[in-house]
Amino acid sequence: MRIGELARRTGASERALRYYEEQGLLSPARLPNGYRDYDERCAVTVRRIRILLSAGLGTAAVAEILPCVADDTVVLAGTCPELREGLAAERRRIDAAIGDLTAARDILDSLVGRPLYGPAAPAA
DNA sequence: ATTCTCACA
DNA sequence: TGTGAGCA
């Protein structure tokens, strides 16, 4: 199938599909006219790519994880032990980010409850 | 009608 | 990643 059909079937834009290829995530064959020729496997791969990307992973990480994914959408981390630490590290980064966001929200909450603007504050 | 590559008011 | 240009 060509890029248009794959885009419709996966929900990814044609632009994204070409980008995935540029990032080494997909390697579609080429028709004699230069058009990309995707097989069924690509449809499955694109769905996995989108899931991984939506998890906040970058294309570099996706490229490493992709070959470690079995026929289902389950990542067989056990098959690629090196990925375990990398994914664990990513998880820790997310935890840290959540902590930062929570702190930021708390500050915003305190501002709403005790505005710093409005009537001039008494001279310090 | 579709896809391709390249470039960015 | 979107969008548009200029081709094939």
Side-chain angles (χ1 to χ4, degrees):
Chain A
M1 76 188 96
R2 291 177 315 193
I3 198 168
E5 186 183 336
L6 182 62
R8 283 187 293 88
R9 289 178 48 179
T10 63
S13 65
E14 298 181 8
R15 176 78 169 75
L17 258 17
R18 298 193 182 95
Y19 180 66
Y20 296 161
E21 179 181 353
E22 188 178 287
Q23 299 303 300
L25 274 32
L26 281 177
S27 299
R30 292 281 181 160
L31 266 21
N33 57 16
Y35 289 9
R36 271 163 270 248
D37 182 30
Y38 302 90
D39 52 52
E40 291 307 310
R41 303 196 55 180
C42 289
V44 178
T45 301
V46 171
R47 297 194 178 93
R48 289 175 181 165
I49 290 174
R50 302 193 79 201
I51 290 175
L52 263 10
L53 251 26
S54 70
L57 297 172
T59 54
V62 176
E64 294 182 66
I65 298 174
L66 233 38
C68 296
V69 179
D71 285 312
D72 287 85
T73 50
V74 181
V75 175
L76 299 182
T79 304
C80 307
E82 350 69 35
L83 289 180
R84 264 201 158 335
E85 173 50 30
L87 293 176
E90 177 59 22
R91 207 224 127 84
R92 287 194 288 279
R93 290 185 55 181
I94 290 177
D95 273 337
I98 288 175
D100 290 344
L101 287 171
T102 298
R105 185 185 60 186
D106 288 346
I107 289 175
L108 259 21
D109 283 344
S110 71
L111 289 177
V112 173
R114 172 166 34 86
L116 297 178
Y117 47 79

